[in-house]
Amino acid sequence: MTAVGLRAARAVAWSVLPAELVLVVCLVAGVRIPVPVLLGAEALVVAVIVLDASVLWRLYAAARRRDGAGRREALRSAVGTLVPVALRRLVVHEFRALHSLGLWVLRRRHRIPEGARPFSYTEPQTGIMWTFVFVSVVETVVLALVIPWPLVHAILLVVDVYGIVIVLALQAACVTRPHLVEADGSLRLRYGALFDLRVPAAVIATARVDRRFPGGGPVRVDEDGTLDLAVGSQTTVTVELTEPVEFVRPLGRHGRARTLRFHADDPRAAVTALTRDAGGTRDRTATSPLTPERRASAALTPERRAPTALTPERRAPTALTPERKAPSSTPDPPG
């Protein structure tokens, strides 16, 4: 299968499917479509399905012959070649978001290993998400009262309800998938189901609280190798690395970054966790361990460790003289 034929199959498939969806909506809504147009559209859809099936089979057979892969691996390779990466990742993100919605309902979080410290990042966007949900609910109610056609109302109701569920799922994915500082000091940055980056502890040089307001979307990469993982158009923590790390952007593009900026609702706690080693007993940016000389100078001397012994004079009070034991006699009267 040549690259030109593969691109042609993709272009035909992704241009015909939206037209078929519009045709189905028109039929459900009661729009009269001429029979020749309907038959021609259906014939075109069948031809596209046959074409895609043929291309998929050729890719599957080529993977079996070339790599000697099993059936499942060959089918996965064929689908990965035929379906665009961006579309595959969007579908995967949507399923992961719906899974996160179930975790959110059960009050669970996604894959937090033992000893890891989670850090939430949803505070700047929570109000916006709930505003979207409220507006969507109001829109659904208004359309139900305004639209008189039952079929159109049913279609819009399904679309609106699914939109509300997706907004809730996106927020749930961010709540159930927080940033993590794991027990070995490594960092895991996440943004819902859209972004996931693991940073080994060995490459983390410094971390500091640094509030910035970058423009663009939630995941943005500058030419100087800086990754901005913003929430509500802001970041609060900056991490400098000793070497670049690779990551995958939400739609499948790859990137490299040596400086990471992300948002955490409690940036000071996140920086404190990042600047400690795996045991959590020493700060990477704090003072160095005590030398033997400093330990010796800090040790207490025997005189400092124990109080000075009391002398016999200090242990017992001074004995009273006979004159002090008895009151003195009164003086003789004058002669």
Side-chain angles (χ1 to χ4, degrees):
M1 186 71 185
T2 63
V4 176
L6 182 60
R7 286 196 298 268
R10 284 181 176 179
V12 172
W14 306 122
S15 60
V16 171
L17 289 181
E20 176 68 12
L21 181 60
V22 172
L23 182 62
V24 171
V25 172
C26 292
L27 289 174
V28 174
V31 178
R32 290 187 177 183
I33 300 177
V35 176
V37 175
L38 184 60
L39 293 177
E42 294 304 322
L44 182 59
V45 170
V46 172
V48 169
I49 293 176
V50 172
L51 175 63
D52 288 342
S54 174
V55 172
L56 185 64
W57 174 256
R58 291 183 182 181
L59 292 173
Y60 172 81
R64 291 293 300 271
R65 290 195 307 268
R66 182 180 63 253
D67 303 328
R71 294 181 178 180
R72 180 176 299 180
E73 291 75 10
L75 181 60
R76 184 179 302 175
S77 175
V79 173
T81 304
L82 181 62
V83 181
V85 177
L87 182 61
R88 294 202 315 268
R89 291 187 65 86
L90 285 176
V91 173
V92 172
H93 294 333
E94 191 166 336
F95 278 107
R96 288 177 178 174
L98 294 174
H99 174 256
S100 300
L101 184 59
L103 294 177
W104 186 48
V105 172
L106 297 176
R107 297 183 179 273
R108 297 179 181 178
R109 287 187 289 188
H110 181 267
R111 294 184 182 178
I112 298 182
E114 184 178 357
R117 295 188 58 185
F119 295 96
S120 62
Y121 51 85
T122 59
E123 184 177 342
Q125 71 178 20
T126 301
I128 299 175
M129 288 296 186
W130 286 115
T131 301
F132 283 162
V133 172
F134 175 75
V135 171
S136 299
V137 171
V138 172
E139 178 188 3
T140 302
V141 174
V142 171
L143 291 178
L145 296 176
V146 171
I147 298 177
W149 306 286
L151 288 177
V152 178
H153 168 65
I155 295 172
L156 293 179
L157 179 62
V158 172
V159 173
D160 288 339
V161 171
Y162 186 73
I164 295 173
V165 171
I166 288 299
V167 173
L168 291 175
L170 292 176
Q171 178 67 6
C174 293
V175 173
T176 59
R177 298 167 184 261
H179 301 317
L180 297 177
V181 177
E182 300 188 8
D184 60 353
S186 61
L187 173 64
R188 186 176 183 182
L189 295 179
R190 300 193 281 190
Y191 183 73
L194 296 175
F195 186 82
D196 195 343
L197 169 63
R198 295 178 182 268
V199 183
V203 303
I204 298 177
T206 61
R208 64 183 184 275
V209 178
D210 183 19
R211 187 176 297 274
R212 293 174 178 266
F213 299 90
V219 181
R220 187 173 66 91
V221 184
D222 293 336
E223 296 180 356
D224 58 353
T226 300
L227 170 65
D228 289 316
L229 188 61
V231 180
S233 299
Q234 64 175 308
T235 61
T236 55
V237 179
T238 298
V239 176
E240 301 286 347
L241 307 179
T242 58
E243 61 184 48
V245 293
E246 296 185 356
F247 57 89
V248 181
R249 303 180 69 171
L251 294 182
R253 296 177 58 187
H254 291 260
R256 292 167 59 89
R258 191 165 183 169
T259 301
L260 309 177
R261 297 173 184 161
F262 62 94
H263 174 78
D265 294 340
D266 190 354
R268 296 187 181 278
V271 170
T272 301
L274 284 170
T275 52
R276 291 184 179 274
D277 57 10
T281 58
R282 181 173 60 84
D283 195 308
R284 287 195 184 107
T285 59
T287 57
S288 58
L290 293 176
T291 60
E293 293 77 6
R294 294 182 65 185
R295 292 196 188 97
S297 62
L300 295 177
T301 61
E303 292 75 7
R304 295 180 66 184
R305 286 199 299 267
T308 306
L310 295 176
T311 61
E313 293 75 9
R314 296 183 64 184
R315 283 200 301 268
T318 305
L320 295 177
T321 62
E323 292 77 9
R324 296 183 64 184
K325 288 180 183 176
S328 60
S329 59
T330 58
D332 295 337

